[in-house]
Amino acid sequence: MPDCRSLPADRQRTILAFLMDRGKNQNKAWDLAIYHGSKFVEALPDGRFVWELEVTEEMLNGVGTIHGGCLSTIIDLISSLSKLLIDAANERPMLFGVSLDLSTTFVSGAVVGDVLVIEVTVPKIAKKRSKDGKKGPLVAAGSHTKYMNEPQASKL
């Protein structure tokens, strides 16, 4: 199981701040809400990453619950950021890659103010947990397959 715990916490924060800063130029409302609201919590010994994200107005659909497209964007972004932390910890180039497959199973809703606790096992999002550590309702499950082209050496 890939592990990034050897990467110092300050380096993790610097990398994530840089990557999330790049997202500020996005113009989709929930992209910005995800970039600005995502909080990296920890890398666990079993290879999982834990993130938190509070549901905001920008993330809602017409019936007042989190939009399915937003959940898919969360899966895409948070799994990719977690993979980049593994790259950094293993001194590999940090490349976003190209999504080959992104599947989301919608299980229940979430409303403004709910805090999603996102557990990532690269390459999948696992489940939601409440802040007190008890299992909360499953909101979405997803898998994300990425192709990572190795950088080519210069021919000069």
Side-chain angles (χ1 to χ4, degrees), residues 1 4 6 8 11 15 18 21 24 31 34 36 43 48 55 71 85 87 92 99 110 121 128-129 136 140 142 145:
M1 187 69 48
C4 81
S6 63
R11 178 91 167 108
I15 291 166
F18 168 76
D21 187 56
K24 291 178 185 174
D31 280 0
I34 295 167
H36 292 286
R48 289 178 297 145
V55 177
L71 288 169
L85 286 176
D87 288 346
R92 292 190 304 244
S99 296
T121 303
K128 173 188 172 194
R129 292 188 182 269
T145 305

Side-chain angles (χ1 to χ4, degrees), residues 33-111:
I34 295 167
Y35 271 106
H36 292 286
S38 297
K39 295 181 183 86
F40 177 68
V41 177
E42 66 180 324
L44 299 171
D46 62 2
R48 289 178 297 145
F49 297 85
V50 180
W51 299 76
E52 289 184 349
L53 177 63
E54 184 173 342
V55 177
T56 62
E57 291 282 337
E58 298 86 0
M59 299 175 185
L60 301 182
N61 58 24
V63 296
T65 60
I66 193 165
H67 192 286
C70 182
L71 288 169
S72 294
T73 302
I74 292 167
I75 291 167
D76 183 14
L77 176 64
I78 300 300
S79 61
S80 295
L81 290 173
S82 297
K83 181 247 176 246
L84 291 173
L85 286 176
I86 292 169
D87 288 346
N90 291 291
E91 298 181 4
R92 292 190 304 244
M94 295 187 306
L95 304 171
F96 271 99
V98 177
S99 296
L100 298 176
D101 175 61
L102 182 64
S103 171
T104 307
T105 302
F106 305 104
V107 181
S108 68
V111 297

